[in-house]
Amino acid sequence: MSEKVLENKRRSLFRIIVISTAAIVFVPILYSGIYLSAFWNPYGKFYNVPVAFVNLDKPIVKNGKRYNIGKDIENNLRKNNSIGWKFVSLNEAKKGVNGTSYYAAVIIPEDFSQKISAAAGGNLTRPILLYEANKGKNFVFAQVSERAAESIKAEIASSIQEQTVKALASSLYDVKNSLLTASNGANALQNGTEKLLTGSRQLSTGLTAAANGANQLQNGLKQASAGEAQLSTGIDSLTNGLNQFKNGLTQNAGSLTQLVNGANAVSNGVSTIASVANNANVSQNLASAANGIVQIKTALSQAASILASSSDPQSIAQAQGILNGLINTINTNNLEGNLRTAAGNARILTSSLNQLSTVAKQVAAGTNTLSSTLATNQKNAVSGINQLIDGANKLKSGSQGLTNGLNTATQNTGSLASGLTSLNTGASDLTNGISAANSGATKLKDGLSSGYTTMSSNLKFSVENISSFVTNPLTLSDVSINSVPYYGQGLAPYFISLSLWLGAMLMNLIISLTKLSKIIEYKFFKTYTGVFLVGSALVMLQSVILSFVLVNALGLSPSNLALFYLENMFISVVFFSIMYGVSYAIGIIGTPIIFILFILQLASSGGTFPIETAPSFFRAISPFFPMTYTVEGLRMIISGINASRLTQITIFLIIFMLIFLLGGFIINRTFKGLKTIKAEDD
């Protein structure tokens, strides 16, 4: 083959290598830029993602309040543009979720408002919010839509909590008022038990006195019973006396008749004597008259004695006065003596007889009057005595009843005294019980008063305030550090590391192929250091282009822009050092090994999820791969720098770089030495 042809081939190959190198320079930006730009802020564009909403809820009115929760949710979601809500029927929603129209569906059942109203009224039946997603269509969005359903659930739960807390707070105020009422009632109860205790003590004292009085009454009734027996005996004596007096009055009726007849006879006799005395034999007649006077005096004394036993005081006194007057007249005038004297003194006989005749007439008239009066009085006396006898008989019967009653009363009084003693014992127990009740009422009053005071001092919130506080008891103050505003910015450290690794791997592959083809004859390019420096310059160019596009095209905003560029350049050099060391040590066959290392780092670097969520194998190998540290370092530079940790990461990456550069060089030189020795031996 001519020299010219070889030169042309060399130039063509050189052009290919240059073009390939230029293309490889843009590999990181193609990988990271395109992917990150496509998913830089996917959460901000979910308004284009269709999610079905089905409202089957039926409104209900309960206790004067209308519940239409499903419609309220629907109205709120119509104003919510975070997700592409589509308000459709149940059939369309299910068909769309099972097909390709909707990613998920949120369904409000028809008894939703009914269950919420029941919960507000104390019937804790949980309403059901149906969420149906086609997770196979897009798992990530399924998670997002599920959070949207959880958000709706939280909003409804907040409303239920608000209503429930309002009811509970109102109940607390009712309890507070009830405590006040109960405290006042307990105070009145304590006052009542205090009065009851005082009354009980007075009752006990009164019962003691009553028991003593009952004993005294029993003794008195016994004495009364004995006195009543004496009274009964006296009534019998009275009855007998009345009967005798009645019989005496009957007998006195005959005596009065005799008295009247005698008085008339005396009067006639005196008149006759006076007449005879005027004629002759006066002395003898006077003597006889004197004897008649004695008889009259005796009869008058008997009449006076009988009248003395009469029951009509006035009549008897009048009659007795007349009789006593006659007797006194006879005694005073000494008629007997005078008549006897007159028997011897004839001169005055006539005069005396005349006087005696006058007196006899008076006696006869008085006797007639007395007889008439005594007859009337006797009749009345007999009637009165009959009444007295009847009354005495009735008194006798009443006395017998009184005796029986007194005996019964005496027995009952004994029972009464015993009952009063028992009642007094019970009253003492009652007093003790009421005293205990009073102490309990005092404690109840104090306890209720203390409870009301405590509740009143602690229950300082209004129903609205407490319901608002319990519904939203916590204000989340987000003082997070190292803010990441976009989804793509959060993934950028991972994809930048992957892009720079791929860029360095391809760049190392081109350089290795260039060395093998011997197209470039520059001595500098043939040295270990020269190739390293050329490769480092190319990968740093890759990182600069990548950084520029991310910052200016996608809007990545690192916390330190200059350090962001420098860090990417440093990472590119580290990755290239690792690959260059491997390929320098074992040749182009190291490329598959480098690719395997790339695959292992995808799962062990913690670029998407925390490394703690990875299987134990990947957690174990994670500290031994450089991408673990590059991802962490880039996160710091993009979101917030921890200087000490970033220094440690830088040291770890330098160690990786030195190990592979020196190791590759040593291995290469060692194997070349062995080959030379073997060739010389041959």
Side-chain angles (χ1 to χ4, degrees), residues 490-499 601-603 605-608 627 631:
L491 291 179
Y494 179 61
F495 281 95
I496 290 173
S497 297
L498 295 181
S499 301
Q601 290 182 103
L602 292 178
S605 62
T608 53
M627 197 176 292
V631 170

Side-chain angles (χ1 to χ4, degrees), residues 115-182:
K115 288 185 177 180
I116 287 182
S117 66
N123 185 6
L124 303 180
T125 302
R126 291 185 176 89
I128 299 174
L129 180 68
L130 299 177
Y131 169 74
E132 183 177 344
N134 188 346
K135 295 185 178 181
K137 189 172 183 179
N138 189 291
F139 177 77
V140 174
F141 181 76
Q143 301 300 311
V144 175
S145 60
E146 186 174 351
R147 291 179 186 175
E150 288 290 336
S151 176
I152 296 173
K153 172 188 172 184
E155 181 180 349
I156 298 170
S158 176
S159 176
I160 297 174
Q161 288 173 354
E162 181 179 3
Q163 297 298 325
T164 304
V165 171
K166 282 183 179 179
L168 290 176
S170 298
S171 299
L172 283 177
Y173 275 99
D174 291 341
V175 170
K176 174 186 171 182
N177 295 331
S178 298
L179 277 178
L180 178 60
T181 303

